[in-house]
């Protein structure tokens, strides 16, 4: 039986448990209160009944006096009102004596009641004869009867007084006993209520402890988890109420977090190993790229440039030759030193000037280059080698071989809170399919010219994206064949 109750308790919800505890405690207190109240009310009723016999004797004495008084009034006045009053008092007195004992007994009090009843009946019979004699005007008869009635009246009063005194003595003793019993009952009641309250408190404490103990364990474990300690023991699930469900879910959550941390640790270790290998590969790759960039100056470009310088040296003064060679030296020096570094827009534009100057020396000034630059933006930092490759592309695939004057324009300005860099040419132009291929890195040959420095559009796009963390935009516009091309770069302001 006890096991079944425990199993039932475990399957109850938290609300049902708390409701059961408080209802049980309330029912116990109510039952004890009702029982004690019934006992006290019964004893109180007995106390009230103790002096009822004295009350009855007093009422009987008063009724007797009323009969005697109404009789005397009638004898004196012989009025109808006195007659009516006599009959009313006589009926009341008869009703009073009907409750007296009529049995033969050894009890003195009951025997006295029997005597009072007998005398009272004789008295009433005698009074009735007196009334009849008065009505018949038999003065001598009602006078003698009245004297006897008065004696009998006094005798009844004596018996009533004696019985009343004896009953009062007995009632006083009974009253004292009842009052002592009542006080004892009150003390017992208080004691029982105190024990019951203490028992209920103990029941509530034990029952709520069974409910709150799992919560306390859960709170301690949750605090450990909050501090980062996931190596805790599972909390035993002792019931299937809300606390048990939450405890089970908490155990599962901690186990899942532990597994996740283990998996994450293993993954991070593998990633660290891969990163170490990747860093080593990148280090070797950078060394190879640097050596490649340092040695990638196109032999044809270098030969043609030096040949043009030699021709100038023969045809003109050495001053122009020196200027030309200085621009050439500056161009190649920037290529070697600035690769894989950032530079200011001023340095990038200066490199473009060097590049255009060299080309105009080679091609007899057929490249018409103009620029419109906001000088307040010259200190803006950008990845190195992003403008010269675009100008080079405009020369090689835009205006070279053009049967009209070839023009290239470079503009740098602010636009909608960003910095806009535009390179425009009036050359061959591009269709939309070609633009999409170039932007997607699928176009071949844009940096394969014999005069190229090896840095293509795709390279420029990727370095801009990395340098500005994806916040740079690269776009190409062209209205079609022979309508020129515009390349636009949008970068954030510093």
């Amino acid at each position: 039986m006890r096991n079944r109750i425990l199993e039932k308790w475990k399957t109850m919800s938290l609300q049902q448990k708390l409701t059961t505890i408080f209802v049980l405690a309330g029912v116990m207190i109510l039952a004890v209160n009702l029982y004690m109240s019934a006992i006290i009310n019964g004893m109180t009723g007995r106390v009230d009944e103790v002096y009822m016999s004295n009350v009855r004797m007093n009422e009987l004495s008063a009724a007797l006096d009323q009969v005697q008084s109404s009789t005397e009034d009638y004898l004196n006045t012989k009025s109808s009102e006195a007659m009516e009053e006599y009959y009313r008092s006589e009926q009341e007195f008869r009703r009073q004596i009907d409750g007296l004992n009529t049995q033969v007994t050894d009890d003195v009090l009951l025997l006295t009641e029997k005597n009072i009843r007998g005398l009272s009946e004789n008295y009433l019979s005698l009074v009735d004869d007196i009334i009849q004699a008065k009505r018949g005007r038999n003065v001598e008869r009602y006078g003698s009867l009245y004297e006897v009635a008065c004696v009998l009246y006094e005798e009844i009063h004596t018996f009533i007084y004696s019985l009343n005194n004896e009953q009062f003595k007995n009632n006083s003793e009974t009253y004292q006993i009842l009052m002592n019993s009542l006080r004892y009952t009150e003390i017992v009641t208080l004691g029982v209520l105190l024990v019951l309250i203490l028992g209920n408190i103990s029941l509530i404490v034990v029952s709520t402890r069974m409910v709150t103990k799992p919560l306390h364990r859960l709170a301690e474990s949750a605090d450990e988890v909050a501090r980062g300690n996931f190596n805790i023991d599972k909390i035993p699930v002792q019931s299937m109420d809300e606390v048990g469900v939450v405890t089970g879910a908490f155990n599962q959550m901690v186990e899942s977090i532990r597994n996740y941390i283990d998996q994450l640790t293993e993954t991070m270790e593998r990633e660290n190993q891969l990163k170490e290998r990747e860093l080593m590969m990148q280090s070797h790759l950078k060394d190879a790229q640097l050596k490649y960039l340092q040695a990638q100056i196109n032999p044809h470009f270098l030969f043609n440039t030096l040949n043009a310088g030699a021709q100038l040296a023969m045809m003109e003064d050495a001053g122009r030759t020196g200027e030309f060679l200085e621009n050439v030296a500056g161009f190649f020096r920037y290529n070697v030193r600035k690769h894989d570094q950032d530079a200011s827009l001023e340095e990038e534009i200066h490199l473009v000037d060097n590049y255009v100057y060299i080309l105009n020396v080679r091609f007899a000034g057929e490249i018409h280059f103009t620029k419109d630059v906001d000088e307040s933006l010259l200190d803006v930092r950008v990845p190195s080698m992003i403008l010269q490759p675009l100008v080079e592309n405009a020369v090689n695939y835009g205006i070279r071989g053009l049967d009209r004057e070839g023009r290239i324009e470079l503009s740098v300005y602010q636009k909608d809170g960003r910095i806009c860099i535009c390179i425009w040419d009036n050359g061959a132009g591009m269709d939309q399919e070609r633009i999409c291929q170039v932007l997607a890195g699928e176009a071949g040959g844009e940096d394969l010219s014999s005069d190229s420095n090896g840095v293509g559009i795709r390279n420029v796009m990727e370095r801009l994206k990395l340098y500005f963390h994806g916040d740079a935009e690269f776009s190409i516009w062209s209205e079609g064949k022979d309508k020129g091309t515009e390349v636009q770069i949008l970068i954030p302001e510093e």
Side-chain angles (χ1 to χ4, degrees):
M1 182 66 179
R2 181 173 179 271
N3 292 333
R4 282 196 299 177
I5 294 176
L6 289 176
E7 290 298 325
K8 180 66 176 177
W9 176 265
K10 291 180 179 179
T11 58
M12 293 172 65
S13 67
L14 191 59
Q15 181 180 3
Q16 291 174 332
K17 289 179 179 178
L18 294 176
T19 303
T20 301
I21 292 170
F22 288 107
V23 167
L24 181 60
V27 168
M28 292 175 63
I29 292 176
L30 179 62
V32 171
N33 280 331
L34 291 176
Y35 177 73
M36 293 300 177
S37 177
I39 293 176
I40 293 174
N41 287 336
M43 296 186 68
T44 304
R46 291 180 61 188
V47 170
D48 292 337
E49 291 176 358
V50 165
Y51 290 103
M52 287 303 297
S53 59
N54 293 110
V55 173
R56 287 196 299 269
M57 289 297 101
N58 291 333
E59 291 176 351
L60 180 64
S61 178
L64 176 63
D65 291 339
Q66 187 64 32
V67 172
Q68 183 69 18
S69 175
S70 62
T71 301
E72 290 177 355
D73 288 342
Y74 178 74
L75 293 177
N76 293 329
T77 62
K78 200 179 179 181
S79 64
S80 59
E81 290 83 3
M83 178 64 70
E84 290 178 0
E85 180 63 24
Y86 162 73
Y87 282 122
R88 280 196 298 270
S89 60
E90 187 263 347
Q91 290 178 359
E92 175 63 23
F93 186 60
R94 285 188 182 278
R95 187 184 66 81
Q96 294 283 347
I97 65 176
D98 284 341
L100 297 178
N101 179 48
T102 60
Q103 303 296 323
V104 178
T105 177
D106 294 334
D107 191 312
V108 176
L109 297 180
L110 293 178
L111 185 59
T112 303
E113 283 188 12
K114 185 176 182 301
N115 292 333
I116 292 173
R117 180 167 182 167
L119 291 174
S120 296
E121 290 175 350
N122 292 334
Y123 171 76
L124 290 175
S125 178
L126 184 60
V127 170
D128 187 62
D129 290 340
I130 294 171
I131 296 298
Q132 295 301 323
K134 177 66 175 177
R135 293 179 66 182
R137 300 178 182 277
N138 190 345
V139 177
E140 184 179 352
R141 177 175 173 75
Y142 82 75
S144 61
L145 291 176
Y146 179 74
E147 292 178 359
V148 175
C150 288
V151 173
L152 192 58
Y153 165 76
E154 294 296 334
E155 187 177 356
I156 294 172
H157 254 300
T158 301
F159 274 104
I160 292 175
Y161 179 78
S162 174
L163 179 61
N164 202 6
N165 286 338
E166 291 298 324
Q167 286 180 341
F168 184 79
K169 292 178 182 179
N170 292 336
N171 290 340
S172 297
E173 294 175 357
T174 304
Y175 177 80
Q176 189 63 40
I177 293 172
L178 288 174
M179 290 304 297
N180 291 335
S181 299
L182 185 60
R183 282 192 291 270
Y184 176 76
T185 303
E186 289 178 350
I187 294 172
V188 172
T189 301
L190 291 175
V192 171
L193 286 176
L194 182 60
V195 172
L196 182 61
I197 291 173
L198 294 176
N200 283 334
I201 292 175
S202 301
L203 175 63
I204 293 173
V205 170
V206 172
S207 301
T208 53
R209 177 181 173 82
M210 294 175 64
V211 174
T212 57
K213 187 176 181 180
L215 284 175
H216 183 66
R217 291 180 180 175
L218 182 60
E220 289 181 344
S221 299
D223 186 55
E224 289 295 322
V225 171
R227 295 176 182 176
N229 180 20
F230 296 97
N231 295 321
I232 58 176
D233 296 331
K234 281 189 175 182
I235 306 174
V237 179
Q238 299 177 343
S239 62
M240 294 306 297
D241 56 12
E242 293 85 349
V243 178
V245 173
V246 172
T247 302
F250 179 80
N251 289 335
Q252 186 175 0
M253 179 194 70
V254 173
E255 184 66 23
S256 299
I257 292 175
R258 273 203 299 259
N259 294 336
Y260 175 75
I261 291 176
D262 293 340
Q263 295 175 0
L264 187 62
T265 302
E266 294 177 1
T267 303
M268 291 179 65
E269 290 178 354
R270 289 197 297 268
E271 287 182 355
N272 288 335
Q273 294 175 357
L274 292 174
K275 284 182 179 180
E276 290 178 0
R277 294 175 59 188
E278 184 179 353
L279 288 173
M280 293 178 63
M281 294 176 63
Q282 287 180 352
S283 177
H284 295 312
L285 180 60
K286 285 185 177 180
D287 291 339
Q289 286 177 339
L290 180 59
K291 292 178 182 178
Y292 170 75
L293 289 172
Q294 289 173 342
Q296 71 176 357
I297 301 175
N298 192 296
H300 297 284
F301 183 78
L302 181 59
F303 174 77
N304 293 333
T305 301
L306 293 177
N307 185 45
Q311 291 177 6
L312 280 177
M314 293 173 59
M315 296 173 59
E316 297 184 355
D317 297 333
R320 293 188 60 192
T321 303
E323 183 180 359
F324 173 76
L325 292 176
E326 183 179 351
N327 278 276
V328 173
F331 178 80
F332 288 117
R333 186 182 305 111
Y334 189 91
N335 269 270
V336 174
R337 294 179 59 185
K338 284 292 184 180
H339 193 279
D340 206 22
Q341 300 179 16
D342 63 355
S344 65
L345 275 177
E346 183 178 14
E347 292 174 323
E348 284 289 291
I349 295 170
H350 184 65
L351 177 65
V352 171
D353 290 338
N354 287 343
Y355 177 71
V356 173
Y357 176 85
I358 295 171
L359 291 182
N360 277 330
V361 170
R362 289 177 54 199
F363 301 114
E366 65 180 26
I367 299 174
H368 296 274
F369 175 73
T370 58
K371 57 185 178 180
D372 181 14
V373 179
D374 184 349
E375 294 186 356
S376 65
L377 304 175
L378 292 177
D379 292 332
V380 174
R381 307 297 294 183
V382 294
S384 63
M385 296 294 293
I386 61 168
L387 299 185
Q388 186 274 332
L390 300 180
V391 174
E392 181 180 358
N393 235 48
V395 172
N396 291 336
Y397 302 106
I399 65 175
R400 178 173 290 183
L402 198 65
D403 55 1
R404 62 181 183 276
E405 179 182 83
R407 293 170 52 208
I408 297 177
E409 293 181 1
L410 169 65
S411 57
V412 180
Y413 56 92
Q414 290 182 319
K415 177 182 178 182
D416 299 330
R418 309 191 79 184
I419 299 174
C420 183
I421 304 171
C422 292
I423 298 174
W424 172 86
D425 68 76
N426 65 340
M430 303 172 67
D431 57 26
Q432 192 61 39
E433 181 180 0
R434 179 65 176 173
I435 291 175
C436 292
Q437 290 177 349
V438 172
L439 292 177
E442 299 173 356
E446 78 263 32
D447 58 349
L448 300 180
S449 169
S450 59
D451 292 339
S452 172
N453 73 338
V455 180
I457 291 179
R458 185 65 181 175
N459 181 279
V460 172
M461 292 169 58
E462 290 178 352
R463 288 189 296 121
L464 281 169
K465 186 181 297 184
L466 290 172
Y467 189 85
F468 291 106
H469 306 289
D471 196 19
E473 298 180 15
F474 189 96
S475 55
I476 301 175
W477 285 279
S478 178
E479 296 182 2
K481 186 177 181 181
D482 295 329
K483 292 187 178 181
T485 304
E486 179 180 355
V487 177
Q488 186 182 88
I489 298 173
L490 285 174
I491 61 175
E493 292 187 26
E494 292 183 344

